[in-house]
Amino acid sequence: MDVSLAIINYNSREKLRKCLDTLPEVVRGEPYRVLVIDNASSDGSATMVTRRYGKRFEVIANKANLGFGRAVNQALEKTDSDCLLILNADIEVEEGAIEVLLEFMERTPDAGMAGGQLVDQDGEVQSSCRTFYSASAIMMRRTPLGWLLPRSRAVRDHLMLDWDHATERKVDWLQGACLMLRRETMEQVGAMDERFFLYFEDVDLARRVGEAGQGVYYVPQARFVHQYRRGSHGGLFNLERLHHLNSALRYLSKHSPSGRLLLRLMGEGLILSLMMLALLLFNG
């Protein structure tokens, strides 16, 4: 099996540079293709890649921010390798990590997608694999209920906090920051759903992979450093927070019968407004 890489970037020039500097020259002794897909960054990211690395990396410079899912689909359209490794620009690749993931895909025929262990710069393991969202998990993670009940069972189960994240295992879904996709599986289940502009496209894809009888696997022997800044946190009216809440509603509408019923009765705009009002009142 062979592999291509796609690095999705938006206004992360310095993190992107660090990411590219950690990429190996070859994978298992063979050259491989690397695409940098830049979503209309205003910080000179695309120019930096061309000037610093020349023709080593291919740059796709989108004229508008098309969202994460569309960028991934561009990479799928423009490559033909057996596997495609998707990385966020804030990922640094540890030695041998890509080979470990590729070898895992070879020896695990039912693996439709896999991801490595993400650690922060201090080596602390991040919860990059999780159980599927329930309505209660979304509420606990994205509304004041989560601050009022930080040790709730819904959150512990969702983040898989009662497991040490040290062994290979099949999981519900993996964060899109590091995903190896099997092309054959993507052809079977379809590409990322571009209706999710940012967030939940990885959850949705993993669910479709599982429903097709393929596995989603966490492979901790493949380690990646993740300079994680949670964009959906921060200011109350942070744009990424709004994207997250909107994508959460879309996900529930697509996969949860109760979520579809709630949206039908109340409307997406009203529910989103009520969630933001609750946050405003809590922070006020």
Side-chain angles (χ1 to χ4, degrees):
M1 297 182 73
D2 61 349
V3 65
S4 298
L5 265 66
I7 300 166
I8 314 302
N9 179 72
Y10 177 68
N11 283 335
S12 299
R13 182 180 61 189
E14 292 309 307
K15 291 179 180 179
L16 175 62
R17 177 184 60 78
K18 290 180 181 179
C19 174
L20 296 176
D21 283 346
T22 66
L23 296 185
E25 293 285 344
V26 296
V27 171
R28 299 200 295 190
E30 298 292 335
Y32 62 104
R33 190 176 178 189
V34 178
L35 279 67
V36 176
I37 301 181
D38 184 72
N39 264 329
S41 294
S42 59
D43 65 353
S45 292
T47 300
M48 179 277 293
V49 176
T50 301
R51 289 179 176 174
R52 182 178 177 87
Y53 302 99
K55 295 182 179 180
R56 182 183 173 196
F57 305 125
E58 301 174 46
V59 178
I60 299 174
N62 291 324
K63 295 181 179 180
N65 186 352
L66 304 180
F68 183 81
R70 176 56 189 144
V72 171
N73 291 347
Q74 285 180 294
L76 286 168
E77 293 164 2
K78 292 181 178 297
T79 58
D80 59 4
S81 54
D82 299 316
C83 292
L84 176 67
L85 177 60
I86 305 297
L87 297 177
N88 275 5
D90 58 3
I91 292 285
E92 296 177 19
V93 181
E94 291 201 357
E95 184 176 357
I98 299 174
E99 288 87 347
V100 169
L101 279 180
L102 189 58
E103 289 164 5
F104 177 84
M105 298 295 280
E106 285 184 327
R107 64 180 166 84
T108 314
D110 79 313
M113 57 197 297
Q117 183 182 82
L118 303 187
V119 300
D120 64 21
Q121 292 178 306
D122 296 323
E124 291 294 321
V125 176
Q126 299 174 353
S127 57
S128 58
C129 56
R130 303 178 182 181
T131 61
F132 284 128
Y133 279 98
S134 62
S136 59
I138 290 175
M139 294 296 289
M140 290 294 177
R141 294 279 288 163
R142 288 294 174 264
T143 75
L145 284 175
W147 295 312
L148 294 170
L149 302 170
R151 298 180 181 275
S152 73
R153 174 50 57 185
V155 172
R156 292 194 66 81
D157 289 346
H158 173 63
L159 297 179
M160 305 175 71
L161 295 179
D162 296 324
W163 169 56
D164 64 6
H165 293 74
T167 54
E168 285 180 6
R169 65 176 288 178
K170 187 179 290 187
V171 298
D172 281 353
W173 66 279
L174 299 153
Q175 283 188 337
C178 175
L179 287 179
M180 183 169 280
L181 310 177
R182 189 187 298 272
R183 182 169 300 277
E184 183 179 359
T185 301
M186 295 304 101
E187 291 172 352
Q188 178 182 355
V189 306
M192 284 200 166
D193 187 337
E194 296 177 15
R195 290 175 294 179
F196 299 97
F197 179 81
L198 186 64
Y199 301 115
F200 281 86
E201 61 283 292
D202 43 11
V203 194
D204 171 72
L205 180 61
R207 183 177 284 277
R208 288 187 281 125
V209 168
E211 290 172 348
Q214 299 289 297
V216 177
Y217 287 92
Y218 172 78
V219 186
Q221 296 85 357
R223 280 172 49 107
F224 300 80
V225 178
H226 189 201
Q227 302 178 56
Y228 190 39
R229 178 193 69 80
R230 197 167 180 173
S232 56
H233 278 193
L236 174 63
F237 293 105
N238 181 298
L239 181 58
E240 291 186 45
R241 183 193 292 273
L242 290 173
H243 281 311
H244 196 284
L245 291 174
N246 186 57
S247 291
L249 293 177
R250 289 181 183 277
Y251 176 81
L252 289 176
S253 175
K254 184 174 181 179
H255 295 290
S256 167
S258 59
R260 284 194 294 273
L261 178 60
L262 184 64
L263 284 170
R264 188 177 304 118
L265 293 174
M266 298 182 64
E268 182 176 312
L270 177 57
I271 296 175
L272 186 60
S273 297
L274 290 174
M275 293 173 77
M276 294 306 297
L277 178 60
L279 288 169
L280 178 62
L281 292 173
F282 185 83
N283 284 354

